[in-house]
Amino acid sequence: MKSLLMLLAILGLAIMAHAQQPSCREGYRQCQAQDKASPFYYRCGGGQWSLYTCGNGYTCNVGGGTGAACVPSAPPIRQPACIDGQRRCAGPGNDGIYYLCSGGAWKIYTCGNGYECKQTGPLQAVCSASAPQCQTGTQRCGGQWPGQYYSCDNGRWQQNSCNPGNRCVNIPGDLINCAVGK
């Protein structure tokens, strides 16, 4: 009988000790969703599981010394801004400027003197000799004031002015003369 009482006492202590044990290991973490990426996890504290979140841009990942860890979410697959070798013209007013894709980024280039960018297709462009606007050496009056004129240099019109107080006069042979007076 004494041994039966002793056995019951030991068994009772074991049951009480087991009841006081925590339901989880202190500091241990467990992902809420084991089969898919989730930003939520459980953390053991004071023998109880509590729900936490990894934070923006992080998901719970099984593994590690504490059972689970928050790791950066897989970034979305980014398409490059461009594909190497693509070209595009800079646009109106920038006839000799183009963009060339190199290393997945657009870089700016110039065609050079006497050349302009021509778009030949979507994201395809070439530098070609620009059509001359005028014949080199020709002149003509024009501008906001009576003394302004244009001279053609390398196929492009360049604005010039007569001396103050003089006015521009067109003369035969596609030339001008700066005449005294208004």
Side-chain angles (χ1 to χ4, degrees):
M1 180 79 163
K2 200 173 197 183
S3 54
L4 183 60
L5 284 174
M6 181 74 99
L7 182 62
L8 287 174
I10 291 173
L11 189 57
L13 287 174
I15 291 172
M16 285 177 45
H18 181 71
Q20 291 176 353
Q21 284 185 347
S23 63
C24 57
R25 224 172 50 207
E26 190 71 25
Y28 195 79
R29 295 176 185 203
Q30 178 179 325
C31 296
Q32 181 188 32
Q34 298 294 326
D35 59 339
K36 61 180 180 174
S38 170
F40 300 103
Y41 66 94
Y42 293 102
R43 184 171 64 192
C44 182
Q48 300 293 318
W49 288 109
S50 298
L51 185 63
Y52 290 88
T53 183
C54 289
N56 194 19
Y58 288 83
T59 56
C60 185
N61 188 33
V62 178
T66 59
C70 291
V71 296
S73 302
I77 297 172
R78 260 184 66 189
Q79 297 296 326
C82 56
I83 298 170
D84 286 359
Q86 290 178 325
R87 291 176 186 238
R88 62 184 172 94
C89 298
N94 298 305
D95 296 336
I97 299 173
Y98 67 94
Y99 294 96
L100 172 66
C101 183
S102 177
W106 291 108
K107 295 183 174 38
I108 194 164
Y109 292 90
T110 58
C111 289
N113 195 20
Y115 289 87
E116 62 187 358
C117 183
K118 298 247 187 209
Q119 204 72 42
T120 58
L123 299 174
Q124 297 173 2
V126 295
C127 288
S128 59
S130 36
Q133 297 175 347
C134 54
Q135 187 175 357
T136 299
T138 58
Q139 297 174 312
R140 70 175 182 200
C141 294
Q144 292 180 317
W145 299 284
Q148 289 183 321
Y149 65 95
Y150 293 94
S151 293
C152 185
D153 184 24
N154 290 323
R156 302 244 183 227
W157 289 110
Q158 303 293 323
Q159 190 172 27
N160 296 296
S161 295
C162 295
N163 288 331
N166 291 350
R167 61 184 173 84
C168 179
V169 177
N170 287 312
I171 57 174
D174 290 324
L175 297 171
I176 64 101
N177 186 19
C178 289
V180 178
K182 299 190 183 217

